[in-house]
Amino acid sequence: MPSAIDRLVEQIESTEQELSGRLGDPTLVDDRREFADVSRRYASMEAAFALARRWRDASGRAEEARELLTEGDDLDVAELLREAEAELDELAPALRE
């Protein structure tokens, strides 16, 4: 079951995909007001998009490390897991904002 943060990241990613798609639509430039609105919304969300990408990256690294640790104890992999989990703990409050 995805956590509240995972669901939030999914929403942010969905918004980024939607806005990117709209900005890539060649007919959007015909409506200057709409183009400006979409551009402003995308720009205002860039920090959230970057946080979501960092969350996905750290989450993926943590998952890979957990899988490797089930195969045996490895201090380097355990350290990678600790680092990824620390990054997730650091990102969570920023994503909730």
Side-chain angles (χ1 to χ4, degrees):
M1 174 182 225
S3 71
I5 294 284
D6 288 321
R7 288 189 300 275
L8 179 58
V9 167
E10 287 172 9
Q11 289 174 340
I12 292 169
E13 290 170 334
S14 176
T15 299
E16 181 178 24
Q17 190 173 34
E18 174 195 339
L19 293 174
S20 292
R22 293 191 62 204
L23 286 171
D25 180 357
T27 62
L28 181 64
V29 295
D30 294 338
D31 184 344
R32 289 183 191 189
R33 176 177 283 164
E34 184 67 14
F35 179 76
D37 288 344
V38 173
S39 295
R40 267 193 298 279
R41 185 159 180 231
Y42 188 93
S44 74
M45 301 240 359
E46 282 183 311
F49 299 155
L51 283 171
R53 283 190 292 276
R54 285 183 60 201
W55 177 270
R56 284 287 182 214
D57 178 62
S59 184
R61 286 185 283 121
E63 184 59 33
E64 287 177 31
R66 282 187 203 97
E67 288 174 12
L68 289 172
L69 284 175
T70 62
E71 297 170 5
D73 290 336
D74 183 326
L75 294 177
D76 290 335
V77 174
E79 179 61 24
L80 289 174
L81 177 58
R82 279 191 293 281
E83 289 172 4
E85 288 177 338
E87 186 173 357
L88 291 171
D89 289 342
E90 174 190 325
L91 292 171
L95 280 164
R96 287 186 184 108
E97 289 180 356

